[in-house]
Amino acid sequence: MKKEDLVKMRQDHVPRGVSQALPAMVAEAKGAMVRDVEGREFIDFSGGIGVLNVGHSPDEVVKAICDQAGKYLHTCFMVQMYEPYIALAKEVSELVSRKTSMKTMFVNSGAEAVENGIKIARYYTKKPGVICFENAFHGRTAMTMSLTSKVKNYKFGYWPFMPEVYRVPYAYCYRCSYGLKYPSCNIYCADFIQEKFFDLYAAAESIGAMIVEPVQGEGGFIVPPKEYLGKLQKICRDNKIVLVVDEVQTGFARTGKMFAYEYSIDEPDLLITAKSLAAGLPLGGITGKAEIMDSVDAGGIGGTFGGNPVCCAAGLAVMKILKEKKLAERANEIGKKVMAKFQSFKEKYPYVGDVRGLGAMNCMEIVADKKNPKPNADLTKAIVKQCYDKGLIILTAGGYGNVIRHLVPLVVTDEQLDKGLRILEGVMAEKVE
Ligand SMILES: *Cc1c(COP(=O)(O)O)cnc(C)c1O
């Protein structure tokens, strides 16, 4: 079907609330490349929003999907068990810790994984309160929308929100909520929780969970100081709070380690995964200390489709690719190149206020100018649109829509990566006033 006919049909039959940043209409995709219905080629720096760390449609994953589809598509794990679920639970649990016994359950999405993480933490602690952070993104369902920070268009109008959700500032050093500077601040934003929050907002005895992204994703690729997560973990341990680490976007080699928490802490209490877990098939995971996971009574957690056998078979193939292709190491190589380029943009262009990154999760914050770091969402949008016109798909992020983020599949070739960065450079250069 022709592109304009498809666009018309989409407008007639799909609601506008499910919006697109770019008018791309895909025909096929492989690795880091996408071809659209008009035969145009794109380099994909979006990776389906961090879902495609192993690339578009890897042969091994496609084969695993087809093999599994030929055997059985569904039984419901709560009715009849099957090997792919159990084998993937073992794989992921052992990735998270080999010294502490971990267990994993599967659901259908990141949001559903977060929901279950909160359910389990509340049941285990018998405490209702949840601490979350400014600029956090945890999903769009009732509980996860309540945990998400950005108001428009994620929350405004969709009230009421879940009770017992408390929000505190994140270690967003470029725009510190307290107007402090790292390192002289001594990470006050974490100390604040122990020193003030428990007295002035909610008692520690009523807080069951703290949910945090080790690098904030949708909120603007915000990389906190390395010690930050450790400080949060200590607060959680001192106050019997379950530390729920949301690695839906940072997980599976993106940040240069299998999980981003590895830079800061030994292990989380609960780990939330989804996005790159199954190369695009819908699968989310909750991995946690056996003591916490098994505190839930039989029948307390689950779902009809959760841990679908085809999705789990895809997940097993993904785990193999991540290890065999050493994609965590590759993420660091890619990240080095991208950060060097972004740094050069920051030096050259007054409207690049900050560049940040961990592994191959990198961003630039687009501002009015260096002395006036007012977010410049219009310019950000224009850059992304012009990249698209020149054959590069790249996304924005951030509470103010002024962050350009890089999430290329980690199987990208050097040639493709260079070409993508050249397109971006050309667009950035044109924007100099
Ligand atoms: C995308 C995302 C989610 C939500 O995942 P969905 O599969 O879209 O429900 C949750 N947490 C983080 C950190 C994410 O990036």
Side-chain angles (χ1 to χ4, degrees):
M1 200 181 263
K2 278 225 216 75
K3 179 158 177 188
E4 62 255 36
D5 297 335
L6 278 170
V7 170
K8 169 81 174 56
M9 202 194 279
R10 181 256 183 268
Q11 281 161 356
D12 289 346
H13 301 287
V14 182
R16 66 195 185 95
V18 189
S19 69
Q20 285 82 34
L22 297 167
M25 189 79 73
V26 66
E28 53 186 332
K30 197 84 186 163
M33 301 302 292
V34 177
R35 197 193 314 276
D36 78 357
V37 291
E38 292 171 323
R40 281 187 64 202
E41 283 237 324
F42 295 87
I43 298 163
D44 187 358
F45 275 15
S46 75
I49 317 191
V51 170
L52 302 168
N53 288 356
V54 296
H56 285 279
S57 300
D59 293 340
E60 304 90 321
V61 175
V62 174
K63 181 170 187 312
I65 291 169
C66 293
D67 288 352
Q68 181 55 44
K71 290 182 199 154
Y72 52 87
L73 291 172
H74 173 83
T75 62
C76 182
F77 191 72
M78 299 182 301
V79 177
Q80 295 172 77
M81 298 176 283
Y82 41 85
E83 182 173 333
Y85 190 120
I86 298 167
L88 187 60
K90 177 176 190 290
E91 279 275 335
V92 178
S93 298
E94 289 179 354
L95 272 184
V96 179
S97 185
R98 282 181 174 274
K99 79 174 202 284
T100 307
S101 167
M102 294 277 172
K103 293 192 173 185
T104 299
M105 75 172 281
F106 294 110
V107 293
N108 303 295
S109 68
E112 198 186 347
V114 171
E115 292 265 355
N116 277 278
I118 300 299
K119 267 178 77 173
I120 294 165
R122 282 175 162 172
Y123 202 77
Y124 172 71
T125 59
K126 300 286 182 279
K127 300 195 281 184
V130 185
I131 295 178
C132 59
F133 293 85
E134 277 178 9
N135 283 297
F137 183 86
H138 297 293
R140 295 167 173 280
T141 60
M143 181 72 218
T144 61
M145 173 181 67
S146 305
L147 297 169
T148 288
S149 183
K150 188 170 176 170
V151 179
K152 287 182 183 175
N153 292 333
Y154 291 160
K155 300 173 73 154
F156 182 78
Y158 305 113
W159 48 73
F161 306 116
M162 296 292 276
E164 289 305 317
V165 169
Y166 299 91
R167 190 174 311 285
V168 297
Y170 190 80
Y172 184 5
C173 300
Y174 182 60
R175 297 183 189 278
C176 178
S177 289
Y178 297 105
L180 300 172
K181 285 257 174 300
Y182 178 79
S184 60
C185 66
N186 201 21
I187 317 189
Y188 173 72
C189 52
D191 293 339
F192 160 84
I193 299 169
Q194 187 67 57
E195 288 172 14
K196 278 203 174 152
F197 178 88
F198 292 138
D199 290 324
L200 302 180
Y201 294 79
E205 296 92 314
S206 73
I207 302 292
M210 175 189 289
I211 181 160
V212 63
E213 297 158 88
V215 175
Q216 288 187 322
E218 300 303 302
F221 279 34
I222 301 165
V223 187
K226 290 240 155 61
E227 321 88 273
Y228 179 60
L229 195 58
K231 282 197 156 203
L232 297 181
Q233 183 183 55
K234 178 158 189 326
I235 293 166
C236 287
R237 287 190 173 160
D238 290 348
N239 296 284
K240 296 195 173 58
I241 295 167
V242 173
L243 178 65
V244 185
V245 177
D246 181 345
E247 295 237 19
V248 170
Q249 197 153 160
T250 48
F252 302 110
R254 172 54 52 186
T255 65
K257 292 192 185 279
M258 202 51 91
F259 298 108
Y261 74 77
E262 295 170 39
Y263 284 102
S264 306
I265 60 172
D266 51 351
E267 58 194 26
D269 296 326
L270 293 183
L271 181 80
I272 307 299
T273 54
K275 293 206 163 100
S276 270
L277 170 56
L281 269 67
L283 190 64
I286 305 99
T287 302
K289 292 183 175 159
E291 183 198 332
I292 301 173
M293 297 297 281
D294 280 335
S295 70
V296 177
D297 296 307
I301 43 178
T304 305
F305 291 123
N308 170 276
V310 180
C311 300
C312 288
L316 282 165
V318 167
M319 295 306 122
K320 228 169 138 205
I321 296 173
L322 288 171
K323 285 180 201 160
E324 282 176 7
K325 296 203 166 150
K326 298 194 169 64
L327 289 185
E329 281 170 41
R330 179 66 182 147
N332 283 320
E333 286 171 17
I334 292 169
K336 231 177 240 158
K337 200 172 237 187
V338 173
M339 287 306 282
K341 197 51 104 183
F342 284 11
Q343 281 293 354
S344 77
F345 295 163
K346 185 180 165 187
E347 279 151 32
K348 272 190 259 179
Y349 308 127
Y351 53 84
V352 178
D354 193 29
V355 301
R356 303 184 284 266
L358 193 61
M361 186 168 181
N362 325 90
C363 80
M364 298 183 268
E365 200 161 316
I366 306 297
V367 297
D369 66 65
K370 282 200 179 55
K371 282 192 210 74
N372 172 17
K374 193 167 159 293
N376 192 342
D378 290 342
L379 180 53
T380 312
K381 227 180 270 164
I383 291 170
V384 164
K385 172 68 173 57
Q386 285 189 32
C387 285
Y388 171 76
D389 293 340
K390 295 190 160 75
L392 172 67
I393 294 178
I394 190 162
L395 296 173
T396 63
Y400 312 103
N402 70 317
V403 173
I404 293 178
R405 59 171 145 172
H406 166 263
L407 283 169
V408 83
L410 303 176
V411 295
V412 68
T413 65
D414 285 327
E415 199 187 1
Q416 292 163 344
L417 180 64
D418 291 342
K419 190 166 171 211
L421 290 171
R422 268 201 309 277
I423 293 173
L424 183 58
E425 180 150 37
V427 171
M428 299 289 290
E430 275 174 37
K431 283 286 140 202
V432 188
E433 268 112 53

